[in-house]
Amino acid sequence: MVRAIVGANWGDEGKGKITDMLAKGSDIIIRFQGGSNAGHTIINDYGKFALHLLPSGVFYDHTTSVIGNGVALNIPYLIKEIDSLVERGVPRPRVLVSDRAQLLMPYHILFDTYEEARLAGKSFGSTKSGIAPFYSDKYAKIGIQVSELFDDEVIKEKVRRVCETKNVLLEHLYHKPLLDEKELLETCRQYRDLVAPYVCDVSSYLHDALKEGKTILLEGQLGSLKDPDHGIYPMVTSSSTLAAYGAIGAGIPPYEIKDIITVVKAYSSAVGAGAFVSEIFGDEADELRRRGGDGGEFGATTGRPRRMGWFDAVASRYGCRIQGATEVAFTVVDVLGYLDEIPVCVGYEIDGKVTRDFPATVKLEKARPVLTTLPGWKCDIRGIKKYGDLPENCRNYIEFIEKEIGVPITMVSNGPGREDIIMR
Ligand code: GDP
């Protein structure tokens, strides 16, 4: 049985905790897209961790953690992340890396940084982890596959081709130091030795696992609105954030994905530039940012303050639909307990017309929020275990949003801790 856990919004919905919970009941947990550009926060008996590349299953000894072919694999980063867990007392996790995954190379990070600088004020708000240059190379067919590291001739030729094209750009577009073929080849050799113990024919492994009835969890990163096709292009990430892509980025049949748990946040937050219809500013935003998440709404990877907004039913309904959500985990509800009234964005006004459908970016830029207001519950709901014990106004808020998004909310998260979850 395959389940996917994905985000409906801009990312940072609180997937980490729900993923950790679902990982406990899974045999295999797979990262299928993205790289170390985003992060989950997980709080457990070992402490508080920000995972960037490893799947959340790494804390359990009954699980296998898989880096699928769809991931942008930064090998030294992966090794560092594994070692840092072990240093903090976590038992060494069982990790498999797809032999079809491609390598995120140091020059991808350089190109990301150079391009952001070149675009200056018109940049896409990259985390400069090399993700966009990595996926560009993958589709331009000059990416390096893990399997290629193990063939001296193939890797030599690949490195030669990479230097040939990259150096033209480095010299004439960015005016930066050139790549050295020998040095790059040496880096590849080091990467080969580092990754060797983990390499696996993942899709074949998963094929067998499925036959044996194993429980598999696909762990998504970011959210629907960052998908390069269905998100707010071009303010998107460079690989698909949708559950459907899990089949491709892991190498399993699409029909095996039976459950798509979509994480929706009780208010909105986003990083980087781009349209954000329900955005709030000033003191109102500062207060929500300060109270948000666990210790404020600041990026897990970059530390950047997040942009804040009220719950956006238009974006979230679309985010759930495009994921194919079968159930919703509704998170950080506890944070809203300080508000007398809670505004919710229920429509977009575009060129004088109100719509409930999330439009493509050009139209989205013109959208103004249509807000409605729900009464707050004015108390701390952390520690509550049963849905029925939540204040009435809190249940009304949850049920209002459930109706708006049209997907059952099966879990309500009322605190950052592992136990702060209400099953409905
Ligand atoms: P992800 O990018 O979707 O994986 O987001 P994270 O899992 O990193 O969550 C973002 C932040 O929200 C972290 O600091 C979490 O500890 C915190 N968080 C998650 N769920 C809740 C919740 O229900 N209430 C509160 N207050 N914080 C939460």
Side-chain angles (χ1 to χ4, degrees), residues 52-183:
H52 298 292
L53 198 50
L54 283 170
S56 306
V58 288
F59 298 104
Y60 301 106
D61 44 22
H62 67 277
T63 58
T64 300
S65 300
V66 175
I67 305 285
N69 55 276
V71 170
L73 173 66
N74 181 333
I75 290 177
Y77 199 105
L78 175 75
I79 305 299
K80 211 176 73 193
E81 203 160 88
I82 296 173
D83 288 346
S84 73
L85 294 184
V86 175
E87 274 161 29
R88 288 180 61 190
V90 180
R92 187 165 284 280
R94 211 171 110 74
V95 176
L96 299 176
V97 172
S98 167
D99 59 355
R100 289 171 187 270
Q102 295 199 9
L103 308 191
L104 189 133
M105 298 296 290
Y107 55 78
H108 289 132
I109 298 171
L110 290 177
F111 273 89
D112 208 349
T113 313
Y114 298 158
E115 184 62 7
E116 282 283 297
R118 192 183 71 85
L119 293 170
K122 291 194 165 156
S123 76
F124 298 111
S126 165
T127 57
K128 303 186 190 75
S129 327
I131 301 297
F134 166 89
Y135 283 105
S136 306
D137 280 3
K138 177 172 177 175
Y139 294 109
K141 296 179 277 283
I142 53 164
I144 302 174
Q145 233 183 31
V146 165
S147 62
E148 294 177 334
L149 291 174
F150 298 88
D151 187 309
D152 288 341
E153 282 314 305
V154 170
I155 193 68
K156 228 171 162 173
E157 171 59 15
K158 185 55 78 58
V159 163
R160 195 191 59 73
R161 279 183 53 198
V162 166
C163 288
E164 198 174 79
T165 56
K166 297 290 170 204
N167 281 344
V168 175
L169 292 173
L170 285 170
E171 186 173 349
H172 299 288
L173 183 63
Y174 299 117
H175 313 293
K176 293 287 180 188
L178 304 192
L179 297 180
D180 181 80
E181 229 175 283
K182 258 204 194 131
E183 220 173 275

Side-chain angles (χ1 to χ4, degrees), residues 12-16 39-41 293-294 332 334-335 382 413-416:
D12 304 315
E13 296 93 353
K15 291 180 296 298
H40 284 319
T41 313
D294 177 30
V332 294
D334 53 302
V335 166
R382 285 201 194 180
S413 175
N414 60 335

